[in-house]
Structures are given as C-alpha cells and as structure tokens.
Amino acid sequence: MSWSLWFTLVAAGALISFTPGAGAINTMANSLGSGWTRSIWGILGQQVALLAHIAVVAAGVGVLVAGSPLLFNVIRYAGAAYLVFLGVRQYRSRAAAARVGELRREPAWSMFRRGLLVNLTNPKAVVFFLAFTPQFIRPEQPLLTQYAVLAATVVVIDVVVMWFFFAAAARGLGRLTQRESGQRTLNRVFGGLFVGVGVLLAAVH
C-alpha cells in the first residue's frame, strides 16, 4: 500500500470513527458508569467485532450477506433488538447517589462482551466494509499484507477516537452522576439513545 493511499485510508477511517453510532454511545455509557480507564474494555470488544467484519469481507462472505435479504434482515433485526434491550435496561436501571470519584466497577468481561455484540450484530458494517475495503486493496499486490495494514490502521484509529474523544467527552458529564437525579437523567438519555439507534437500524434500509 502506497503512502498516499494509506493517508487516504487514515482520513477515511477517522471520518468513520467520528461518526456517532452505537459504538460511540456504548463507549460513553461505559466511561460514565465505570470510568474512563476501564471503558477501554468495551472499546476492545468493539474492535474484535470490527476485525471480524473485515475478515468476513476478506473471505468473501460479505457478498453472501449483502446478496441475501433474508440473512441480512435476520442479523439486522437481531442487532436492533439487542440495542433496544440495552436501552430499556439502561433506562430502567436504578440510580444511586454516588460520592465523588465513586463508580460502579462493571466487570471487564461484561463490557468487552457488550462492545463485541453491539458491533457484531450490525450487518450494515459488513456491507459498508464490502464497499469500503476494495478502495484500498490492489489485487496485483499481496492481499494478506494489505488486509493486515487496513485492519491495523482502522482499529488503531477507532481505539484512539473512541477512548480519547467519546470516552473522554463523557467524563465532562461525570459530575451529574454524583446526584441521584442527574444519574437518573443520564440513564434515561443513554437508554433513549440506544433505543433510537436500534430503531433506526431496524427501519433504515
């Protein structure tokens, strides 16, 4: 991959990562609930799902998903239902007054698993990478190396954006969680966002 093509990939990857979606909402919710440092576990789960999507496209299965309306819709509605479930659970979660600096320490595996499922159950990501990836792959060059460079670049960019932008931005809302009313409001806001993204995923074709 030439440097000019790689810099184009970096610009495109940054634009994609900065576009708010379920991953960004999940990251901000984790940062608020468990702290900025521990929010990395959810981000890592999202990256494993992202790598899975790239692998699916590289293996050619993405063509099957894109060409099978039934398979696509099954995965799409499953993903939408999962996001709505997360939203309802977040919305209904009990608020508890927190002392300054006190956070509920959700297990790392729980955050990792949720991040994995949030991104993994989004078939639009497969279709997106199916259209996105060929722009940066040259068939006459070694494919494995090119896919490795693409995957590493996209993952690093997404980790940086999620952790140092979305998770860091959520820290500014941390003071609200020190009051029961503020915590309840944030639970409802993020719960509503999860539900909204889930509904959009199910409704938009």
Side-chain angles (χ1 to χ4, degrees), residues 98-104 174 177-178:
R99 295 190 300 271
V100 177
E102 183 182 5
L103 296 167
R104 59 174 182 84
T177 63
Q178 296 169 17

Side-chain angles (χ1 to χ4, degrees), residues 91-113:
Y91 188 92
R92 298 181 62 185
S93 62
R94 296 180 59 185
R99 295 190 300 271
V100 177
E102 183 182 5
L103 296 167
R104 59 174 182 84
R105 294 178 61 84
E106 181 180 359
W109 168 244
S110 176
M111 288 189 285
F112 180 92
R113 181 182 56 197

